[in-house]
Amino acid sequence: MAETGKAKTITIISGKGGTGKTSVTAAFASLAAPVVVADCDVDAANLHLLLSPEVEKSVDFYAMPIARINQDLCVGCGLCNDLCRYDAIVIQDDNYSVDPLACEACLVCKEHCPEQAIYTVERQAGYWFLSQARTGPMVHASLGIAQENSGKLVTEVRKAAADVAEEEKLDLVLVDGPPGIGCAVMASLTGADLVIAVTEATQSGLKDLIRVNDLCNHFKIPIHIIVNKCDLNPEVTQTVRKWAQEAKAPIIGEIPYDTDFTKAMIEAKTIVEYKSSRIGDELKNIWNTVLETMKSIA
Amino acid sequence: MHIAIASGKGGTGKTTVAVALARVMGSCVLVDCDVEAPNAHLFLNPDVQNTQDAYVMIPEVDDGKCTGCGECSRVCQFNALAVLGKSVLVFNELCHGCGGCVLACEPKAITEGGRLIGTMQWGKAGNLDFYDAKLRIGEPMSPPLIKALKRQAECLEAKNTILDCPPGTTCPMVEAVGGADYCILVTEPTPFGLHDLNMAYQAVQQMDIPAGVILNRAGMGDDCIQEYCKANGIPILLEIPHSREIAEGYAAGKDILSSMPSLEDGFKKVINTISEGLNNG
């Protein structure tokens, strides 16, 4: 890795869920140790199940404060309900209240309530953790159930990971990103030097890969591809190869369908720690390619 | 009867289950609410008859009328408006379309324009009514598109509806599952599957929606899901065996009933169990 002082960031994403993103991230973490890892899939964080981190610091995460109605002051005029665009005002037996799941925290209702009956409540929506895993420092998070602002929490996790890299003088951060192409994915892409998209050789995998590639192009971040379960359908794999060549998104590895990923997961091991596995060897080769690529990214 | 198919984690087989259930129900509405990665159409090849763009409202400021008072920026909770001197900067991507700035602007300098968030489409797949939508690349907020899609699909509200939902347990999932009569949680027998099932189950409990589990790839991992469901009193509606044949079929865009027709009875039973439960509950 280049000694530029500032850590480089590799973000692993997938478009579609369940393609093996977390298993690949964990394998890379084993091979790159000591390295900083950040689990930015805060909606469904799984990396800790493989890396068994010990929590050293836990920080509260606050989502935007939402509205609540003081029943003693409310006269039931209904203006809040007229103004709310999120259908978040619940009316039951002439009693007005706010549905916390629907409230977007815009506070239009509070601003315009003639009785000043609406106030805000802080919401402790989750935590993020600074931990020590066997691969080095790890930043991960736990978002409360049915909470929003996952993009904001992702940003906090990412920043904390960059800080710990600087403090501990580590030159690489591995980010396990969320699926999809929305808010949380965009937040996890910020600052990435290289994106590795893990896809599977299926019709849906290819379609979601194309959307993820569009997203990376939109943000001008180079993208490399790993095709998982490449032998499930040789025809689709061939289509992925052809598409990748045209899209100038190099395929840096192809991994056959193998239940070793699952077996390693059940033992809470990364695939390169799990006895001798042919896909473990394959991932070592892929990691070497990644290292070569990183040298060329200034 | 509106049935949502959710999972917490991605890749567990939500779309597989949604398509199979829609098939065995026959005439019903399938809404693919996973607008970030919509895939149900790959297995149904619908005949798309309509497409429609979806927008959210964003403020448009008339500089001629603006006095630079800063009220719009003060009321905006999302930092989507900034006042510099006498001109207002609008950061469209941060706007949640609440309309607060329009109400706050005394000189009435702010009107509402639209920001394209995605495109919806609908049509027929055999006797199914099919709906899906694609989030525009670079658009951070999917819940408004999911809401618009569900609203569009509800013009056929008399029929049964299957909602294929996005992964996770945050706002997109809550938006998609909201209002369903029943939620099927699809999972797989691994530590990842168990962890995310637990999150998803807590989410639907919080939404007060009855739920059951379909265990996909049964036999691939361990017995953690059966144990969890037993301990929490969650019905396991169906176990789909782990099979390379199904995986190969999926890769080629074949739905599960074509790869393994023997599962049809199982899916029919799932529908009956749910509808009986809802009628008695």
Side-chain angles (χ1 to χ4, degrees):
Chain A
M1 220 57 31
E3 298 285 335
T4 53
K6 194 175 168 296
K8 291 269 187 278
T9 301
I10 301 175
T11 302
I12 293 108
I13 57 172
S14 70
K16 182 176 147 47
T19 56
K21 201 166 23 81
T22 300
S23 294
V24 167
T25 308
F28 285 172
S30 279
L31 294 164
V35 63
V36 182
V37 291
D39 190 348
C40 284
D41 186 1
V42 299
D43 292 9
N46 284 150
L47 193 55
H48 65 284
L49 298 171
L50 294 182
L51 297 181
S52 327
E54 276 184 34
V55 176
E56 290 182 340
K57 188 170 103 174
S58 160
V59 181
D60 290 350
F61 169 71
Y62 285 90
M64 294 175 78
I66 54 166
R68 198 173 279 178
I69 298 173
N70 181 336
Q71 300 301 332
D72 296 336
L73 294 177
C74 176
V75 297
C77 72
L79 185 62
C80 53
N81 188 39
D82 294 343
L83 295 180
C84 178
R85 293 190 174 176
Y86 308 107
D87 304 325
I89 307 293
V90 182
I91 309 161
Q92 217 169 20
D93 307 329
D94 290 334
N95 263 341
Y96 284 65
S97 62
V98 177
D99 174 359
L101 291 179
C103 178
E104 286 264 323
C106 69
L107 307 187
V108 165
C109 55
K110 176 174 184 271
E111 183 73 24
H112 293 274
C113 174
E115 307 301 322
Q116 288 171 351
I118 301 180
Y119 60 103
T120 56
V121 283
E122 288 285 338
R123 273 183 309 160
Q124 201 263 320
Y127 309 90
W128 63 262
F129 311 100
L130 178 58
S131 303
Q132 277 303 325
R134 58 186 185 278
T135 52
M138 173 165 175
V139 186
H140 48 125
S142 160
L143 187 64
I145 304 296
Q147 293 290 353
E148 55 180 320
N149 292 125
S150 65
K152 197 173 150 200
L153 179 55
V154 166
T155 302
E156 291 197 11
V157 167
R158 216 175 24 73
K159 282 186 178 155
D163 288 347
V164 69
E166 196 176 321
E167 268 164 39
E168 304 205 9
K169 296 193 169 44
L170 293 166
D171 56 11
L172 185 65
V173 179
L174 287 176
V175 173
D176 188 7
I181 59 162
C183 155
V185 182
M186 287 190 218
S188 71
L189 285 178
T190 311
D193 296 288
L194 175 69
V195 163
I196 295 176
V198 182
T199 187
E200 52 177 36
T202 62
Q203 297 286 0
S204 55
L206 172 61
K207 229 194 90 248
D208 297 334
L209 174 64
I210 293 171
R211 279 165 72 70
V212 150
N213 182 61
D214 288 346
L215 187 69
C216 289
N217 288 344
H218 182 85
F219 289 113
K220 300 189 169 58
I221 305 169
I223 176 170
H224 286 190
I225 291 159
I226 294 174
V227 185
N228 195 9
K229 307 178 192 170
C230 65
D231 56 342
L232 270 188
N233 188 316
E235 223 173 286
V236 183
T237 302
Q238 190 52 38
T239 314
V240 175
R241 287 187 197 123
K242 203 167 156 252
W243 170 84
Q245 202 171 16
E246 281 165 16
K248 297 192 168 57
I251 294 177
I252 54 169
E254 295 185 2
I255 306 168
Y257 183 75
D258 198 314
T259 51
D260 277 359
F261 268 137
T262 309
K263 290 177 191 153
M265 187 196 295
I266 286 166
E267 287 185 20
K269 283 179 177 162
T270 72
I271 191 70
V272 293
E273 293 166 332
Y274 178 76
K275 51 191 190 191
S276 64
S277 159
R278 63 175 177 149
I279 48 172
D281 292 339
E282 189 55 44
L283 274 154
K284 281 177 202 162
N285 294 334
I286 298 171
W287 179 243
N288 288 332
T289 311
V290 174
L291 286 179
E292 283 302 309
T293 307
M294 289 305 284
K295 278 185 198 160
S296 64
I297 294 175
Chain B
M1 185 165 65
H2 291 225
I3 303 175
I5 319 291
S7 71
K9 182 175 148 46
T12 53
K14 275 183 303 298
T15 301
T16 300
V17 166
V19 168
L21 284 177
R23 278 261 159 99
V24 300
M25 272 177 118
S27 164
C28 69
V29 185
L30 177 75
V31 188
D32 188 346
C33 294
D34 188 359
V35 302
E36 292 183 48
N39 283 322
H41 69 280
L42 292 170
F43 303 93
L44 290 169
N45 299 310
D47 175 17
V48 173
Q49 288 149 350
N50 293 289
T51 61
Q52 192 178 309
D53 289 338
Y55 295 88
V56 288
M57 306 312 271
I58 47 157
E60 282 176 357
V61 184
D62 181 342
D63 288 338
K65 289 186 186 166
C66 175
T67 60
C69 71
E71 270 297 287
C72 54
S73 164
R74 181 187 68 78
V75 299
C76 180
Q77 302 298 311
F78 311 107
N79 303 313
L81 296 133
V83 181
L84 290 173
K86 266 195 72 177
S87 74
V88 180
L89 282 178
V90 182
F91 302 99
N92 289 342
E93 249 75 43
L94 298 178
C95 175
H96 285 224
C98 71
C101 53
V102 179
L103 294 168
C105 181
E106 276 193 21
K108 305 224 176 307
I110 305 181
T111 50
E112 290 188 277
R115 176 178 96 226
L116 178 71
I117 53 169
T119 307
M120 304 181 280
Q121 60 173 20
W122 58 96
K124 283 280 197 185
N127 54 356
L128 293 178
D129 287 295
F130 175 84
Y131 289 78
D132 77 359
K134 270 194 196 120
L135 189 69
R136 181 179 61 81
I137 300 293
E139 167 56 45
M141 278 176 276
S142 63
L145 182 57
I146 298 170
K147 188 180 261 187
L149 182 67
K150 285 175 75 174
R151 201 168 282 164
Q152 189 69 47
E154 265 165 13
C155 47
L156 295 157
E157 62 196 358
K159 291 188 185 171
N160 292 323
T161 305
I162 303 280
L163 302 152
D164 188 6
C165 301
T169 53
T170 56
C171 10
M173 180 267 195
V174 171
E175 183 68 57
V177 173
D181 302 307
Y182 193 90
C183 186
I184 295 176
L185 300 168
V186 185
T187 188
E188 54 182 30
T190 65
F192 286 8
L194 174 64
H195 177 263
D196 299 333
L197 170 65
N198 181 32
M199 305 269 295
Y201 182 60
Q202 288 182 54
V204 291
Q205 270 190 313
Q206 215 163 308
M207 287 186 271
D208 221 6
I209 296 172
V213 162
I214 288 186
L215 178 58
N216 195 9
R217 306 189 184 109
M220 173 177 87
D222 51 21
D223 296 330
C224 60
I225 302 294
Q226 284 93 339
E227 284 161 20
Y228 173 85
C229 287
K230 202 173 163 197
N232 290 280
I234 310 167
I236 295 183
L237 304 163
L238 178 68
E239 293 192 15
I240 300 170
H242 177 52
S243 138
R244 189 176 164 111
E245 201 183 331
I246 295 175
E248 282 176 2
Y250 176 89
K254 263 166 78 176
D255 75 283
I256 194 166
L257 294 178
S258 310
S259 302
M260 201 174 268
S262 59
L263 283 169
E264 191 170 331
D265 283 345
F267 280 107
K268 277 187 182 153
K269 266 187 205 145
V270 171
I271 298 283
N272 290 338
T273 308
I274 293 172
S275 72
E276 276 165 25
L278 290 175
N279 290 336
N280 300 332

